[in-house]
Amino acid sequence: MATAQLRNPEPAIVAVQLNKVLKRFGDAIALHEVSLKIHQGEFITLLGPSGCGKTTLLKLMAGVVEADTGEVFIDGQRLGELAPHEREIGLVLQNNTLLPHMNVAQNIGYDLHRRGVAQAEIAERVEQALTIVKLPGFGQRNPQELSGGQQQRVALARALVIRPKVLLLDEPFSTLDKGLRLSMHNELKDIQRRLGVTTVFVTHEQSEALSMSDRVVVMCAGHVLQIGTPDTLYRRPRDPFVASFVGDVNILAGRYLSRDDRVVLAMADITLRLPAEQVHAEVGARVNIYVRPESIRLAPLGPDTLLSATVVSHVFQGDHVDIHLDVPALGQNRLFVRQSGPDALTRWPVGCAAGLSFASEGICAFAAAVLPIP
Ligand SMILES: Nc1ncnc2c1ncn2[C@@H]1O[C@H](COP(=O)(O)OP(=O)(O)OP(=O)(O)O)[C@@H](O)[C@H]1O
Ligand SMILES: [Mg+2]
C-alpha cells in the first residue's frame, strides 16, 4: 500500500540573527554574549525586569548601539555593512518622539522624504499608514493636538510607512492607561498579523508577553535565560528565575528522594511524583518546588486527606479567586490556590479547613543551591 509522502515544512527564514553579542557600558556588562534567531513574520517579545538589557538589545538590532563583540545580521546581511536607510528597520520607543514642529503627515512621511521618495507616493503611503493605525484623515493635525494613545499610533505609522523588514517596539504603550494599552496591544497584534512583519516587542510585563507573542525571550541581568513559546515557558521553565517571573507561583522547600519512571520529591508530609523533565536536580538534593496556583486542588477534609490547610484570605480577581491558605506542615509558608468560577468564595470561606492535593502538571523543581542570576 502506498504511503502518503510527508513533506518537511519549509524551513523558517531567519530575519534577525545575533551571534554572541556582548555590550559593555564602562566596566559593566549590559549584555553577555547573547545569541538569538528571529524568524520572518514572528512576533517576539523581550521580557525581563528593569535594567536587564532589553532596550540595549533592541537598539543593537536597530543599529543605534554598536556591540563590543559579536555580530548582528538583518536578512542575512551584517548590520554594520548596511547604511542606515538600507536597514529598513522601524523603531518605536517608549516616549513620544514625534517632531513638534511638523504635522502628523510630515512626521510619518519624514523618513520617506529623506530617502527621496516622490511627493505623491509619500502622500499615498502616509494615508495608508494612517488607515492601518486607525487614524485616517489625521494628517493635518499637530502632535500636540493628539492624545497619548494617538501619538503612539502615529509613531507606529511612522515606523510602518517605510515597509520595514523588522519592526522594533520598546514598551511603546507603557505610558497609556491599562484599558487603552490592552486595546493598542490587540490592534498591534492585528496589524502585525495582517502585514506579516517581523516584530520585536519589549516589555517587563509577563502578562503582555504571554498574551501577544509567538515566542518570548526571558532576560535577566544581561543574560538570555530561556527562549520559548508562552506555553513552554509557563509549563516547562528551565530556570528558577523563569519559573517565578513568567506566571504566578508558590515556592516550597523539598527534597529529591528517588527516581523510578518518575522523580519522587518529598514536600512537608507528602510525596510528589513528577516527570523527570520537570525536575532540574540530582537525587538527594534539596530542591525548591515551584507550584502554579491552579495546580493545587482543594477538597473537604476526609480520611484521604494527606495535607490539610486553613483558608486565611481571598483575593477576588473577577474571572478567578486566589485563596490564601495556612498549611501547618509547611511551616511559615503560605500557599495560594487559584480557583475559577463564581462559587469559590462561598465554597471555601475564610476559616474553613481543606485538604490539598497536587496535579503533576504545573509543578517543577530546581536544586536549592541553584540561585537565580542576581
Ligand atoms: N548609555 C548608557 N550608559 C551607561 N549604562 C547604560 C546605558 N544604557 C544602558 N545602560 C545600563 O545597561 C543596563 C541595561 O539597560 P537597558 O536600558 O537595556 O535595560 P532595560 O531592560 O531596557 O530596562 P528598563 O525596563 O528599565 O527599560 C542597565 O544597567 C543600564 O543602567
Ligand atoms: Mg528599557
Side-chain angles (χ1 to χ4, degrees):
M1 197 172 76
T3 51
Q5 280 259 288
L6 281 178
R7 279 225 221 131
N8 283 332
E10 292 289 321
I13 299 169
V14 177
V16 181
Q17 181 164 353
L18 284 89
N19 288 346
K20 294 191 170 179
V21 167
L22 183 140
K23 179 66 192 169
R24 282 195 178 85
F25 289 112
D27 290 339
I29 299 181
L31 291 172
H32 297 259
E33 300 207 334
V34 168
S35 295
L36 181 63
K37 274 185 191 167
I38 300 172
H39 300 131
Q40 212 170 70
E42 246 191 328
F43 193 114
I44 284 262
T45 297
L46 309 181
L47 173 70
S50 183
C52 72
K54 305 180 295 294
T55 296
T56 306
L57 190 54
L58 201 77
K59 285 185 172 169
L60 275 159
M61 293 182 207
V64 178
V65 158
E66 222 176 294
D68 290 297
T69 56
E71 294 170 313
V72 181
F73 294 90
I74 303 286
D75 248 5
Q77 279 190 285
R78 201 173 270 113
L79 192 62
E81 290 170 1
L82 296 167
H85 70 276
E86 288 173 336
R87 292 175 185 167
E88 295 174 69
I89 290 168
L91 180 62
V92 181
L93 298 171
Q94 177 173 356
N95 300 316
N96 170 28
T97 49
L98 302 179
L99 299 165
H101 57 281
M102 290 186 184
N103 68 23
V104 164
Q106 288 164 333
N107 263 284
I108 297 173
Y110 184 64
D111 280 333
L112 296 179
H113 186 71
R114 285 204 308 180
R115 286 161 203 220
V117 176
Q119 208 54 45
E121 187 182 339
I122 293 179
E124 193 184 321
R125 282 171 65 174
V126 166
E127 207 44 51
Q128 277 171 359
L130 279 169
T131 304
I132 289 172
V133 299
K134 296 199 178 143
L135 289 175
F138 274 64
Q140 299 314 307
R141 292 250 195 127
N142 290 318
Q144 306 86 291
E145 296 167 336
L146 301 174
S147 71
Q150 289 168 336
Q151 289 180 16
Q152 287 304 79
R153 279 176 213 227
V154 173
L156 183 57
R158 188 179 55 187
L160 290 171
V161 80
I162 61 165
R163 295 176 185 151
K165 284 182 180 154
V166 185
L167 183 60
L168 304 176
L169 308 166
D170 192 357
E171 311 215 30
F173 311 125
S174 62
T175 54
L176 309 181
D177 67 55
K178 194 175 172 198
L180 188 53
R181 200 161 70 233
L182 280 178
S183 81
M184 291 299 296
H185 285 157
N186 289 336
E187 282 182 30
L188 172 65
K189 196 65 201 140
D190 190 44
I191 291 168
Q192 192 268 341
R193 230 179 264 128
R194 268 188 295 135
L195 302 182
V197 58
T198 310
T199 301
V200 185
F201 182 86
V202 164
T203 184
H204 55 266
E205 289 278 339
Q206 49 104 2
S207 59
E208 290 182 4
L210 293 183
S211 63
M212 298 178 74
S213 322
D214 296 319
R215 287 190 302 155
V216 179
V217 178
V218 184
M219 299 177 65
C220 181
H223 294 270
V224 169
L225 299 185
Q226 192 171 349
I227 305 170
T229 62
D231 178 64
T232 302
L233 293 176
Y234 190 79
R235 295 189 317 110
R236 294 285 180 271
R238 287 201 311 260
D239 177 280
F241 178 85
V242 177
S244 58
F245 197 74
V246 178
D248 294 326
V249 78
N250 295 281
I251 305 176
L252 305 167
R255 187 170 288 281
Y256 188 144
L257 287 184
S258 61
R259 178 171 177 181
D260 41 49
D261 58 327
R262 294 205 155 199
V263 168
V264 183
L265 302 179
M267 185 180 77
D269 301 338
I270 62 168
T271 53
L272 298 173
R273 293 175 58 80
L274 300 182
E277 69 265 23
Q278 287 167 229
V279 179
H280 306 267
E282 301 297 324
V283 178
R286 284 191 309 113
V287 290
N288 289 324
I289 305 173
Y290 290 66
V291 183
R292 299 284 179 210
E294 66 277 14
S295 299
I296 307 173
R297 295 191 209 100
L298 297 179
L301 288 184
D304 296 340
T305 300
L306 295 175
L307 194 60
S308 58
T310 307
V311 176
V312 175
S313 62
H314 298 126
V315 180
F316 182 65
Q317 303 274 14
D319 58 340
H320 67 264
V321 180
D322 286 339
I323 301 177
H324 292 253
L325 299 142
D326 250 345
V327 188
L330 292 173
Q332 297 301 310
N333 275 332
R334 274 201 178 153
L335 274 186
F336 76 107
V337 174
R338 188 155 289 166
Q339 297 253 313
S340 56
D343 62 341
L345 289 172
T346 47
R347 274 191 73 199
W348 307 108
V350 171
C352 148
L356 303 181
S357 61
F358 297 82
S360 65
E361 189 54 46
I363 302 183
C364 59
F366 297 92
V370 178
L371 294 174
I373 294 161

